[in-house]
Amino acid sequence: MSREDLIQEIVENIARCQRPANFSKWHEIGLSHAQLGMLFMLSHHKQLQIKQIAQYLGISKSAASQVITLLTDKGLVERRVEPADRRVVHLMLTAKGAGVVKKLHKFKFAGLRSRLENLSAQELEKLAVLCKKMASVI
């Protein structure tokens, strides 16, 4: 297997490990993949404009706006108009939205933790060393 193939396989396996162990709990939240991504993005950046979200996701402002509208309708995201320039709208999580993200993190990490439970102590030690090495170059 080539180096590039190995890297791709590692990336895909890490992504699979981050999926929740219990999909029924994940689906209870009732949000699309795009909506989940935007919630995580707003959680990380605290405040964004639709233009920034669209650029980051590589989608049109219209598409980003549609997803944000669904999230605001659910009470998860708040739009705040800039008083100095009413054309500028800042998006941020509501308290309810922050609670959903906290739940999502719990499910996501539960999936990863359950997969790590299957490793031996030696394997966990090796993985910890490799993860620390990877994290040090980020």
Side-chain angles (χ1 to χ4, degrees), residues 98-113:
V100 167
V101 170
K102 187 175 181 179
K103 238 187 227 185
L104 291 169
H105 276 291
K106 181 180 172 187
F107 294 151
K108 184 175 185 176
F109 292 130
L112 183 55
R113 289 184 68 79

Side-chain angles (χ1 to χ4, degrees), residues 116-130:
L116 291 172
E117 296 287 333
N118 295 320
L119 299 177
S120 69
Q122 272 186 316
E123 290 169 326
L124 284 170
E125 287 175 16
K126 287 178 185 177
L127 183 58
V129 168
L130 292 171

Side-chain angles (χ1 to χ4, degrees), residues 47-111:
Q47 176 176 291
L48 291 170
Q49 295 175 24
I50 288 179
K51 176 181 165 184
Q52 294 168 307
I53 292 172
Q55 285 175 340
Y56 182 78
L57 295 175
I59 60 177
S60 68
K61 286 195 298 187
S62 173
S65 184
Q66 288 174 0
V67 175
I68 290 297
T69 297
L70 294 170
L71 293 171
T72 57
D73 290 348
K74 292 180 182 203
L76 303 175
V77 172
E78 177 183 354
R79 295 175 194 235
R80 285 203 185 143
V81 176
E82 181 69 39
D85 184 351
R86 300 201 44 83
R87 295 172 295 174
V88 177
V89 178
H90 297 285
L91 304 164
M92 58 205 65
L93 291 178
T94 62
K96 182 179 176 182
V100 167
V101 170
K102 187 175 181 179
K103 238 187 227 185
L104 291 169
H105 276 291
K106 181 180 172 187
F107 294 151
K108 184 175 185 176
F109 292 130

